[in-house]
Amino acid sequence: MESKQPLLKVNNLKTYFFTDDGVVKAVDGVNFEVYPGETLGIVGESGCGKSVTSLSILRLLDEKGKIVDGEIIFEGKDLVKLDENKMREIRGNDIAMIFQEPMVALNPVYTVGDQIMEAIILHQKVHKDEARKIAIDMLRKVGIPEPEKRVDEYPHELSGGMRQRAMIAMALSCHPKLLIADEPTTALDVTIQAQILELMKQLQKDLDMAIIMITHDLGVIAEISDRVAVMYAGKMVEYTDVKRLFKNPKHPYTWALLNAIPRLDIEQERLFSIPGVVPDALHFPSGCKFHTRCEFATEKCRNEEPGLIEIEDGHFVACWNIEKLEAAKDRVEVGENK
Amino acid sequence: MLRDEIKKNTKKFFKNPTAVLGLFLLVFFIIIALFAPLIAPPKDPNNPYRIPIATWSLEPKPPSPEHPFGVIGQRDIFYGVIWGTRTAFRIGLIVAGISAIIGIIMGSLSGYFGGWIDEVLMRITDIFMSLPFLVAAMVLTTVLGKGLDKVMIAMIVFGWMGTARLIRGNILQVKEEQYVLAAKALGVRDSLIILKHVIPNTIFPVIVQVSMRMGSLVITAAALSFLGLGAEPGYADWGTLLSYSRNWLTQFDKAWFSIVYPGVAMVLFVLAWNLVGDALRDIFDPRLRG
Amino acid sequence: MNEIILEVKNLKKYFPIRAGVFRRIVAWVKAVDDVSFNINRGETLGLVGESGCGKTTVGMTILRLYEPTAGQVLYGNKDISKLRGKELREMRRKMQIIFQDPYSSLNPRMRIKNIIAEGIITHDIAKGREAEHMVAELLKRVGLSPDQMNRFPHEFSGGQRQRIGIARALAVNPELIVCDEAVSALDVSIQAQILNLLEDLQKDFNLTYIFISHALNVVKHISDRVAVMYLGKIVEIADKKELFSNPLHPYTKALMSAIPIPDPELKRERILLKGDVPSPINPPSGCRFHPRCPIADPKICSREEPELREVKPDHFVSCHLV
Amino acid sequence: MIAYIIRRLLLLPLILFGVTILIFGMLELLGPEKLVSAYIRGPEAEKVAGATQKIIEKYGLDKPLPVKYERWLGNVLKGDLGWSLVGKQPVLSAILSRFPYTLELALWAIIPVVFVGIWLGIISAVHHNKFLDHFLRVFAIIGWSFPDFVFGLFMILIFYTQLGWFPPGYLSFDMERVVTSSQFVNYTKMVTIDSILNLRFDVFLDALRHLIAPVITLAYLWWAYILRITRSSMLEVLRKEYIRTARAKGLSEDVVINKHARRNALIPVATVSGQMIIALLAGTVIIESVFNRPGLGRFVAMAATQLDYMSIIGGALFYSILLVLGNLIVDVSYALIDPRIRLQ
Amino acid sequence: KNPDTVIVATIGEADTLDPHFAYDTASGEVLFNTYDCLIQYKGESIKEFEPRISTAVPSVENGLIKDDGKTYVFPIRKGVKFHNGNDLTPEDVEYSFERGILFDPAGGPMWMIIEALFGEYTWEDVVMNHVKLRTGKDMAYSDLFAENGEPKPEYAKYLMEAYRDILDPAIEVEGDNVVFHLVRPFAPILYILAQGSSWSSILDKETCIEKGLWDGKADTWWKYHDLPKEESPLYAFENGSGPFKLVEWNREQQKVILERFDDYWNGPAKIKRAIIWGIDEFSTRKAMLEKGDVDVCYVPAQYLSQVEGMPGVTVKKGLPTVSITSLHFNWTVAEGSEYIGSGKLDGNGVPRDFFTDINVRKAFVHAFNYDAFIEDVLNGMGERVPSDLPTGFLGYNPDLPLYKFDLKAAKAALQQAWNGEVWTKGFKMSLLYNTGNEARQTAAEMLKYYIESLNPKFKIEVQGVQWPNYLSAYKRGLLPAFIIGWLADYPDPHNFIFTYYHSQGVYGGPQGEAYKEWARENLDALIEQAVQEIDPAKRQALYEEIQKIAIENYIGMPLYQPLAIRVQRDWLKGWYRNPMRPGEDFYAYWKEE
Ligand SMILES: Nc1ncnc2c1ncn2[C@@H]1O[C@H](COP(=O)(O)OP(=O)(O)OP(=O)(O)O)[C@@H](O)[C@H]1O
Ligand SMILES: Nc1ncnc2c1ncn2[C@@H]1O[C@H](COP(=O)(O)OP(=O)(O)OP(=O)(O)O)[C@@H](O)[C@H]1O
Ligand SMILES: [Mg+2]
Ligand SMILES: [Mg+2]
């Protein structure tokens, strides 16, 4: 992996919202890179800034949101500085995106086909009939039965799973190099989620694209990602490859999170619970953002913000008390594999 | 806390310059209405809404120290504008208030009970809505006979349907809210559920609606007066004052003060309510915020 | 432990679909179609299934928030569906519900105090000072500070609101609580808090839960027995350990395999189901699962409706091919 | 959808029946004494003593209610709405002959209202919270607060009294003569259309000159209204996920707004435009009176001031039929924009 | 502008073009220009006549008035053509009057001719008198008819007789003459027949029968009796012989367009086209006058200042009229009136018979500033008259005393009224006016102002109601006092004196039962005597006496006799003033810069 050049490199990204109530530091220093063909998972609880991160990459923030610092290097260009026209050429063409709610992410007054063809005509500069063919092809590829018929249907005529497939077809119609999937399966049933995840893996292989998979479901992360970034309150707290993360989490938050999920594969007497609530983005705590809920927190945590440091090769953690966690891991009985 | 909520909303309200302007105007008009007897002392305290005759001549007289806004139709415009403020408030508050109450009753019955009650009430609502408001008010006023009270009755009779529909829609929505189910599951009586859960959660849009209607009601009443169907001549009412100007329109020097003073009073009054209503809507109805 | 507290017999709930010129009923949503099970005092029955399969409807019908179309719900030995007026209200005291949505389940214009006290006052359990005292106790019990009882719901986070919902349910000393997706809307870290709380409360008050969720892992964690629903029917019901170690119905199997497990090294075989969940308006004939079933036998499955059979002690399955 | 329309069509007679009861009820509030004036009038007519009683008997004004209603409804169904004192004609023909004037005025007003209003609304939403937006908002709210007759008075004061540009009335004399001459074919009775069909552009321009002030007066308020609706609807739509999807595809802002956002934003606008057209037609009651234009509006206003009950009642009935049919049309067209409804 | 067209901007609009139904000036104006009458007023005079269709004006001297004033002979002009080209014959004249009398619509004008010929006020009364004579029974006209509208068989012949024996002989063709036979002398008859009286217009018999008017037969006339206005075929159609033809009556625009009749017997008119346009909004009318778009413009007195001095516009003021506006008292207010407060003399109302006390009437009469009213409100466009008889009429005497504005006298009278009770207890009543009539409104306000200034316990509420409601209220006797005007139907004192003072007069009734009784005792006989007197000098004396009685008894307060204003463009020539003419005489006009 190291041999390759990263496709996308995000450096110290800071995206703030300037609202009437104050400045929301939704993303406050995020670094990661995505290599061609790999899947980067971004995981974190609601409101931690996952979506804002992805929207920042495509520069689709609303007028209140500003990228205040950092760079987003895609194929050598800094997207933050790119002019709007150039950016538009990248959107949908080089980087595509799918959203959480397939119900509302499609325009209700145009047919699915229309909406897919739009991007094709725009980026591939083909004729309408040609575009339609491509669209039908695409729909078939994502496993929609009778694509010739479905192409002329309106979104509300499709089921949730179908719509998400159509969204995927739309995103992939121009063969992007990077697909950003923002919780693509959260709104779907598990059996459908399984279908979609399978489809995405398949398509990734076929098209050789990189994926940024955003989710709050650690199960999905485990299933699909190569590397994982864990976010908490606008910050990256841990960043490493998927196996290491699940086997040997180094950040107290990651660790607690893993133990808080009820699991199918192991018996748990009692769930580990993280006290308190996710802090409100307007009033982030000082120092380490997690210190209010962290059992290892010290005076230092309260006052100084830990940086993301590479504690071992390719494993980044932002915590002052890594050792304390190691010690505690033995104390806490998490349960055993069946 | 409620106080916090109020504080927050108040803060939001005061951040909006147009809302503040509206509130300022409104307060201004309220003060004028309250102190009308001091600002323009009535000649006949039993009948203060009748503008005293300033001169026998029908000719308009331009503003003078004695009649600061001039005289039209033998009446002192200043007096008419001042007491017209009271008239405007009376029309707006009474009509908007009573029709809102009727609307709330009809809407709640319809929305909460549903079924045939809903069907019947909604068809009745449809029927009343099948007449354009202005025309309907005009017809009923004509039938009832002239006079501001008749205009008000007419506007009430044809003015409740909007509220009824709004309330019904909201109730249908609130009825599905889980807290209503929860109350039901707790064994709370239907009547209490309406009173404690449903109405409080539907009433704010009605308040917004009422404040937005205030202005248009005053306009409609004035329009009827202007056409000669509303208040009788000599009544302290802006529309009536404006109707005097009709026949002097072609002469700028004789018409301008009779149009400008009551006209501006009216525009500002309506503007005040609309600004306040707009701001309230922004606060209470986040869907339309922006 | 084996006293049956609630018995559901052949429960059906159909919702009419009105359409056409005269708003006539043109079809029925068979949201719950012939469901039977029972619950013992003090146990937790998990109810899982995908969205739209009728879980909520079961819960609501049990509480008579919906009128059942057919069937019986016996509480103790009273048929709830026949109760009226005072008796019904009395019964409602014994059964409570906690909702999924922590936002819409609390009246935004009422203080926490009044929300929780509503049941206490309705059932004349206490009044005034005393009621307030009880509210304070309840708040403490669900892990909130009594100082907060004068606040409004929107001042609380999702997890806190869910606690308030729980306190409201507890206020009337219920015996049975239906938890409808009580933790689905919560973040993982909060979800764990609430699940733990529910478990503690169950122990302390000897509560019986019907725990409705689409998340198999959560159900597995909290339940004693689990019923799996598909399109308005129970397809499998068994003791938790039995069900998870030995699922018999192909749907149960598929469901289990579909759940992603947070362990990248665990490689499982996936049973991928075809297509979407069909609509409950015109459910497939025969076994409702047959169009998606990987092992369906075209001869019987599409024709005959399988019955819920006890294939092992206390393990019921409704499948022709088990 | 079709079922819905059919249902609406079936409800239509019911509603209209209700409307007749409502209207007849109002008529009956008068009592026979006052109704007499619907049959005779004028000081001269009163010179003959005993005429009142004769009229009451002749028209059966003292009969019991249901009998009167039946008779009245029977007449209404036959198209006999009584005699219009103001119109000097049977009420129905009085209404029908005046309606084209009003329709013409309303149509002319609708064009700027819809086009300009929607255009401004979109601009305002796109420039959300910028200067232009604030400006248009203020413009809108002032417009919404301006009573139409006051605005009309100002228009006359400025554009006729002072500047002499836009005269009140309907046509100037020479043109009037052209229109009434036998060479001029009145296809629609709407002079702006007829003049073009007759290739008389001088007439057209003259008609336009008379139309401008009332059209602006009528339109200004509704501009403001449509602007507001469009703006908030557009703002709501612009926050929708599918707009983000469209942007994520790399579409230009133009396409996003004009294709993806506008159509969705216009759906709620379509509903209010139905009400608006009705209100606009009703608004001519005042505008036509202020600008001294012939038409249904002024007819009704005159009928009301002169207590010509048959005409007001007939006018009200006519307006309500327009309204009911108008709403039906709006609902249908609504469905045409929104496939979610169309395909139900 | 428009050299051969005259455009008149006025208010209101013709009510009907059926001459026998039309009873308003707006209709009269159209009929005046499209039909001919037997005779016409001579120029500006309202006392002298000229021939028109009749080649001579009947007089005792020329022998055309015979039998002591009971027979009138009209020699009919030859060569007169109707607009459709038909010739006008004596039969047409006979038919016209007979049709009108048989038609006699309720509320129509035909009572004048019927009164002149038969001494009754409606044709139905004439018929019923006949039936009574023949059967001895007192019945209502409607009793003669069966359910299906046909006459009951037993009465059919009386109906036929009514025409054959009464009406037909009353108007007869004798050679080239038409002869009227009156049952008694009736002094005003020539006025009633003169041009300007639309009810005396000459119709074309042939066209009328074609159009479905009365077919001229004796046995079906009742089918054509009292038809609704709109059912008359002449409603919006004319085929007169007048100088102008009706081109269009555009009811949407309240516009009547007339065109010159080239075959007019007296030679074609000088202008080609005349338009009468109803524009209710004064401002609009004025603006059009200013721009020269209209030639004549109706201007209410209070807006006089707006047109005076307008370039290119002639304003003539102070023109005489034949109308009176006065306030009369109701001596017996009808029961249930809402306008007399409590109905008792308790300070919160007035008793129903409040005005029977002459002191009350006297006080009211003195509490009005007549001169200020005329000066300020009417801009001087009014004249004071001592009684309800306009100046210039027979019987008018400028030496009769005018009421004075005298608050002291008013106060004294009120202190005496009702044995002083009025003064100590106070009273309260309403004065109504019809909305839109600013003059009347101000009159009411003024009376209120001065009465209330006498004693703070006096309360008069001034209330505006719409015209029809006003009419109905005063006619039902609900108003304690009412302001009303009368416009002459014909310029004879009878038309005013009878109306205001006779117990059966139109305004007699609303003055209450007590007044009627009083009038029967004191005035009725005198009034009846006066109308039958042919000698003008004797009539003058009789009318003066009547007026004296009225003035002394404070029967009403004549507020003013309006003076008219003429506002027209300078370029319109040929105008002359005749107060009996209902509007413009386009035949006389031409235009010249
Ligand atoms: N348009 C916006 N205006 C103001 N604040 C915003 C806006 N969008 C997001 N935020 C804030 O930014 C923070 C991060 O939001 P984001 O949507 O990235 O969270 P997320 O991790 O995607 O959560 P979820 O799992 O709920 O989607 C939140 O606190 C949110 O309130
Ligand atoms: N009030 C209702 N009227 C009509 N249909 C209803 C109603 N409530 C539920 N349904 C339908 O009944 C079926 C079962 O609904 P239910 O809410 O019980 O499912 P669920 O299993 O709880 O789903 P979820 O996981 O989405 O909450 C669904 O198809 C739903 O659309
Ligand atoms: Mg997100
Ligand atoms: Mg559910």
Side-chain angles (χ1 to χ4, degrees), chain B residues 19-56:
Chain B
V20 175
L21 175 67
L23 193 68
F24 171 79
L25 284 173
L26 206 54
V27 170
F28 174 73
F29 279 114
I30 290 172
I31 290 173
I32 287 187
L34 285 179
F35 293 102
L38 297 178
I39 304 171
K43 266 204 182 141
D44 176 0
N46 295 326
N47 212 350
Y49 287 103
R50 174 157 284 281
I51 312 174
I53 301 234
T55 158
W56 291 122

Side-chain angles (χ1 to χ4, degrees), chain D residues 132-154:
Chain D
L132 195 58
D133 180 34
H134 290 305
F135 175 79
L136 286 174
R137 259 189 94 160
V138 171
F139 164 82
I141 204 145
I142 290 179
W144 189 234
S145 307
F146 231 114
D148 41 6
F149 65 96
V150 178
F151 193 83
L153 292 178
F154 279 130

Side-chain angles (χ1 to χ4, degrees), chain D residues 292-308:
Chain D
N292 201 56
R293 293 179 63 83
L296 187 55
R298 189 164 68 126
F299 172 67
V300 173
M302 273 168 58
T305 41
Q306 301 181 21
L307 297 191
D308 175 359

Side-chain angles (χ1 to χ4, degrees), chain D residues 83-158:
Chain D
W83 182 256
S84 165
L85 297 173
V86 170
K88 322 280 176 191
Q89 263 169 310
V91 172
L92 186 65
S93 40
I95 288 174
L96 291 180
S97 63
R98 280 163 181 80
F99 184 56
Y101 297 95
T102 299
L103 187 65
E104 179 178 32
L105 178 60
L107 286 178
W108 273 97
I110 285 165
I111 295 169
V113 167
V114 170
F115 288 95
V116 179
I118 289 177
W119 178 63
L120 290 179
I122 290 174
I123 289 189
S124 187
V126 170
H127 294 251
H128 184 201
N129 276 341
K130 305 252 171 60
F131 170 77
L132 195 58
D133 180 34
H134 290 305
F135 175 79
L136 286 174
R137 259 189 94 160
V138 171
F139 164 82
I141 204 145
I142 290 179
W144 189 234
S145 307
F146 231 114
D148 41 6
F149 65 96
V150 178
F151 193 83
L153 292 178
F154 279 130
M155 287 294 282
I156 295 183
L157 197 64
I158 295 166

Side-chain angles (χ1 to χ4, degrees), chain B residues 43-44 46-47 50 53 55-59 73-75 142 145-146 226 228-229 232-234 244-251 254, chain E residues 281-284 286-287 302-303 305-306 372 376-377 379 433 435 438-439 441-442 445-446 448-450 459 462-466 469:
Chain B
K43 266 204 182 141
D44 176 0
N46 295 326
N47 212 350
R50 174 157 284 281
I53 301 234
T55 158
W56 291 122
S57 164
L58 288 163
E59 193 94 347
Q74 306 169 326
R75 321 277 163 167
T142 317
K146 235 175 104 73
F226 178 77
L229 294 170
E232 56 185 71
Y244 282 122
S245 71
R246 262 175 108 164
N247 292 324
W248 300 94
L249 253 190
T250 46
Q251 281 187 314
K254 284 183 172 158
Chain E
E281 196 74 22
F282 169 68
S283 296
T284 314
K286 189 200 120 181
Q302 61 262 40
Y303 307 134
S305 67
Q306 294 194 43
D376 287 341
V377 182
N379 277 331
Y433 64 92
T435 43
E438 293 179 32
Q441 181 187 353
T442 310
E445 302 261 16
M446 191 181 260
K448 166 196 164 82
Y449 182 88
Y450 288 120
K459 283 267 158 281
V462 173
Q463 237 176 316
V465 293
Q466 269 137 323
N469 293 343

Side-chain angles (χ1 to χ4, degrees), chain B residues 178, chain C residues 50-57 60 100 180-181 212-214:
Chain B
Q178 291 179 344
Chain C
E50 287 175 287
S51 139
C53 70
K55 309 180 295 290
T56 301
T57 311
M60 299 281 240
Q100 161 174 14
D180 186 4
E181 313 260 15
I212 296 173
S213 175
H214 64 265

Side-chain angles (χ1 to χ4, degrees), chain A residues 209-259:
Chain A
M209 62 181 174
I211 295 180
I212 297 179
M213 181 63 152
I214 293 173
T215 177
H216 61 260
D217 187 337
L218 284 164
V220 172
I221 289 285
E223 187 138 311
I224 201 168
S225 334
D226 300 312
R227 285 178 314 116
V228 185
V230 182
M231 287 184 72
Y232 184 80
K235 289 268 180 199
M236 204 107 108
V237 294
E238 190 161 5
Y239 174 47
T240 181
D241 63 274
V242 67
K243 287 189 183 142
R244 255 193 288 195
L245 185 89
F246 281 88
K247 204 167 195 175
N248 193 11
K250 292 286 188 202
H251 196 281
Y253 175 65
T254 321
W255 175 74
L257 208 55
L258 280 170
N259 287 313

